[in-house]
Each structure stands twice: as structure tokens, then as C-alpha cells.
Amino acid sequence: MSPDLNSAQPVFRALADPTRCAIVKLLAVQDLRVGDIAAHFSMTRPAVAKHLAVLKSADVIRVSQAGRERINALNPAALKAASDWLNYFDHFWDDRLAALKSAVEADA
């Protein structure tokens, strides 16, 4: 049975933007404030905040309050839905690559 694409679609939409992918990579290393994230990009803090809002709405990140600071953290569980959906197709590539290997070896 294949995984449910509906649960993975918001994640795929959120990660469709290269800036948001870069933000996810940063948050995979450590939790960061908006200003810390903005320092890695040539855009304003409000622009970064909009990207973070998209990631939050897809549940890719979690935002917590620490005093006056908002800390952004990666939510790996949301990425698992997308990963599970993609991994479902591994057998397809395994079969295709095995057939290619056989064809190359038969020609040799």
C-alpha cells in the first residue's frame, strides 16, 4: 500500500522554494531566531518571516517562545511523510537499474 500523498503535499509545496530549503538545512543544524536566519540571506527579516510562516503552516518547523524571542526549530516528523512517499518508489528505481545493468553486461 502506498503512503498518502495528501499528508505529504503541504511539505512538498513548502520545500518547492530554494530559500525555504536552505532555511530547513539551517534548522537541521540548530534552532534559530528569525534574525539569525535572516543573517544568512540577502533579504529582509519580514521576507524571511514570510518563508518561516509557509514552513510553519506545512508543519515543517515549530516555533516556540523564549521570553521575547521566537525560536524556530525543525519538525522532522513532517518531513517523514514526504520521505515515506518518495521511498515508496525505491523499488521502481531498483528494478530499472537492475535491468540496465543486465542490458549493459549482455552487450559486453
Side-chain angles (χ1 to χ4, degrees), residues 30-53:
Q30 69 183 63
D31 301 349
L32 296 168
R33 299 169 296 168
V34 176
D36 298 330
I37 296 169
H40 289 88
F41 301 96
S42 59
M43 65 177 71
T44 63
R45 284 175 57 128
V48 170
K50 286 182 182 180
H51 284 293
L52 291 170

Side-chain angles (χ1 to χ4, degrees), residues 1-4 8 12 21 31 36-37 46 49 63 65 73 81 83 87 105:
M1 181 174 179
S2 67
D4 182 22
F12 286 131
C21 284
D31 301 349
D36 298 330
I37 296 169
V63 181
Q65 245 359 83
S83 176
N87 288 336
E105 290 173 349

Side-chain angles (χ1 to χ4, degrees), residues 11-35:
V11 175
F12 286 131
R13 275 193 218 105
L15 297 177
D17 183 275
T19 300
R20 290 193 287 270
C21 284
I23 290 171
V24 167
K25 286 180 184 178
L26 288 171
L27 294 175
V29 176
Q30 69 183 63
D31 301 349
L32 296 168
R33 299 169 296 168
V34 176

